[in-house]
Amino acid sequence: MPTPEKVETIEDLKARLHGVKTVMLAEYRGLTVQQLSDFRKQLKAVSAEYKIVKNRLAKLAIGSSELKALGGELKGPTGLILGKGDPVTVAKAVHTFARTNQALVIKAGFVDGQMLQPNGLKALADLPSREALRAQIVGALTGPLAQLVGLLQAPQRELVYVLSQRGKNAEQNPAGA
């Protein structure tokens, strides 16, 4: 019979898992309390959180959801990274921290309905952010449009240039001379 505290922990985790776009599992063995605190601050900046829960309780919380595929990875000291924001920015934040703190080992993840292994999560972190992609798309669309406007204005511009040159020539060579 589970204790009321454990039931409350499971329900709290289920509530936290509701609506998340990204769930990553990371082993935290070897990280200091200060490093974990810094990691949590970095994740908070990208609308994510790091939660350490007993594996058995985490398995019970994800057992009836689409996240049950992560259950096999819940072994050893594992923490859950829960992100409600852009999955790319969450993956970037995790990989940036993991580069400077080798003790953090990313085990697996679940992003937008797909199970990803560590190499897939690294590939996700290497993608440009959503804002950068939007900027690239806008640049790709505005470049040809600017060229088209330039081409459409060229005949008028050339006509004005020819008329101004003709006017200068007319001033230099009066018709009566």
Side-chain angles (χ1 to χ4, degrees):
M1 183 84 183
T3 63
E5 293 84 19
K6 289 181 181 177
V7 170
E8 185 179 323
T9 301
I10 292 170
E11 292 305 316
D12 178 55
L13 186 57
K14 282 182 180 179
R16 289 176 191 256
L17 289 170
H18 182 72
V20 296
K21 293 181 180 180
T22 308
V23 177
M24 294 177 162
L25 303 178
E27 185 175 321
Y28 59 89
R29 188 181 320 193
L31 290 174
T32 65
V33 173
Q34 182 61 46
Q35 288 171 324
L36 281 174
S37 177
D38 292 342
F39 184 47
R40 285 186 170 109
K41 286 178 188 173
Q42 288 178 11
L43 289 175
K44 190 174 184 177
V46 293
S47 302
E49 67 176 312
Y50 186 69
K51 183 84 174 147
I52 297 174
V53 182
K54 289 186 176 188
N55 292 338
R56 190 170 45 81
L57 297 179
K59 284 180 185 177
L60 289 171
I62 66 173
S64 62
S65 69
E66 61 181 6
L67 300 170
K68 62 184 169 197
L70 291 174
E73 300 291 335
L74 288 167
K75 296 176 184 135
T78 304
L80 292 117
I81 300 160
L82 309 171
K84 293 192 178 200
D86 182 21
V88 175
T89 56
V90 174
K92 282 182 186 296
V94 171
H95 278 281
T96 301
F97 183 83
R99 266 190 237 118
T100 57
N101 298 283
Q102 301 295 321
L104 184 77
V105 178
I106 300 163
K107 293 179 166 185
F110 198 83
V111 179
D112 284 334
Q114 284 190 316
M115 176 83 168
L116 296 175
Q117 294 304 316
N119 57 355
L121 293 169
K122 180 166 181 1
L124 183 66
D126 292 338
L127 287 175
S129 68
R130 185 170 295 200
E131 290 78 24
L133 285 173
R134 285 182 180 153
Q136 289 174 356
I137 290 170
V138 168
L141 291 175
T142 57
L145 291 176
Q147 285 180 333
L148 178 64
V149 168
L151 287 173
L152 292 174
Q153 290 177 342
Q156 292 92 344
R157 192 171 43 243
E158 293 298 319
L159 178 63
V160 169
Y161 177 73
V162 167
L163 291 176
S164 71
Q165 288 301 316
R166 194 164 170 117
K168 285 181 186 177
N169 288 342
E171 288 173 7
Q172 291 174 356
N173 301 325

